Amino acid sequence: MTITSATFVRGITGPDPLLLSDTPQIAMIGRSNVGKSSVINTLVQKKGLAVTSSTPGRTREINIYNINNAFFLMDLPGYGFARGSHSEREALQRLIYWYLIQSEYHQKYVVLIIDANVGPTANDIETLRTLEVAGKNILIVANKIDKIRPSDYHKQMQKVTNLMGGHTVLPYSAEKKIGTDELREILFGNVKVAE
Ligand code: GTP
Ligand code: MG
């Protein structure tokens, strides 16, 4: 699918009638600072669409992006951010859990983004289990592969794949734009675009 339009719709912190429409939703989830917003920007080839920041915990709402009037790409806040007040972290965690698990909304894909260089954290693995139990259609994107030393690459990716329990792991670099075509193909495929 060629992306002809990608626009920010709005940020939500609760139910939204838009999400009851037939437009498929694709959710991007991951630890704070793993590059969720950067992955979205490279995926839709639009720099600055999703706000990125070197300060973790930047995204505080669920930001909805409209892709070609055919998909809603959902940029979720990051989990596991150690700083920030306890109540704020709890609120973000509740928001993520509500949208993915408790709400009546359906996601075509839940894309779990991890830091390939750091490897899956306990938090990542716990999130994966929760998504599995909820029966989500899961895709793992291992971002920041550009940070892995070339001599460690094979071993590190093997470790990531092993810890991700049989799910497809797509090596990715938002920085170097590696994996973007593959991700676009997996998520959007060859669908017809509603005009
Ligand atoms: P929150 O919204 O705070 O949860 O963060 P996020 O997951 O949306 O991360 P964001 O896209 O804002 O990126 C965080 C930082 O990681 C920024 O400084 C990015 O430039 C950097 N970054 C993102 N992707 C890559 C990558 O593939 N390689 C490298 N080296 N840096 C990256
Ligand atoms: Mg973000």
Side-chain angles (χ1 to χ4, degrees):
M1 182 177 96
T2 309
I3 294 175
T4 51
S5 81
T7 54
F8 172 66
V9 181
R10 54 179 167 261
I12 61 164
T13 54
D16 193 296
L18 202 61
L19 301 181
L20 293 172
S21 76
D22 290 338
T23 305
Q25 297 164 36
I26 297 170
M28 313 298 253
I29 180 182
R31 267 190 315 116
S32 190
N33 220 37
V34 295
K36 295 174 295 298
S37 303
S38 302
V39 169
I40 288 182
N41 289 335
T42 52
L43 185 63
V44 304
Q45 291 161 304
K46 203 165 171 180
K47 244 195 195 148
L49 176 69
V51 175
T52 64
S53 166
S54 53
T55 313
R58 182 63 177 208
T59 309
R60 282 150 201 258
E61 296 183 326
I62 297 177
N63 288 320
I64 309 177
Y65 297 94
N66 179 337
I67 312 300
N68 282 7
N69 286 326
F71 292 97
F72 289 134
L73 209 49
M74 316 290 291
D75 187 12
L76 272 65
Y79 55 79
F81 175 45
R83 275 166 282 171
S85 75
H86 184 70
S87 59
E88 193 172 32
R89 263 184 295 153
E90 291 251 294
L92 291 183
Q93 195 62 44
R94 261 202 308 277
L95 177 63
I96 296 167
Y97 193 80
W98 160 76
Y99 169 70
L100 287 173
I101 311 295
Q102 295 170 318
S103 79
E104 58 195 307
Y105 308 137
H106 172 76
Q107 297 85 27
K108 182 172 191 273
Y109 270 106
V110 177
V111 181
L112 176 60
I113 304 178
I114 62 161
D115 185 320
N117 190 38
V118 172
T121 65
N123 231 332
D124 292 332
I125 291 167
E126 192 188 318
T127 302
L128 178 63
R129 295 286 168 263
T130 305
L131 296 173
E132 282 174 339
V133 168
K136 300 291 175 182
N137 193 18
I138 302 163
L139 174 71
I140 314 287
V141 167
N143 189 36
K144 306 198 186 185
I145 57 166
D146 59 282
K147 290 178 89 174
I148 306 174
R149 286 219 318 259
S151 57
D152 293 340
Y153 183 82
H154 186 74
K155 205 172 132 211
Q156 179 65 9
M157 289 310 290
Q158 197 61 53
K159 180 179 138 193
V160 169
T161 306
N162 290 344
L163 285 169
M164 291 288 93
H167 293 281
T168 304
V169 176
L170 180 70
Y172 203 93
S173 168
E175 178 86 14
K176 303 269 186 241
K177 300 195 171 53
I178 301 169
T180 53
D181 288 344
E182 290 86 348
L183 184 58
R184 215 171 287 133
E185 178 67 29
I186 294 170
L187 297 182
F188 304 131
N190 198 13
V191 286
K192 277 222 161 20
V193 175
E195 294 299 340

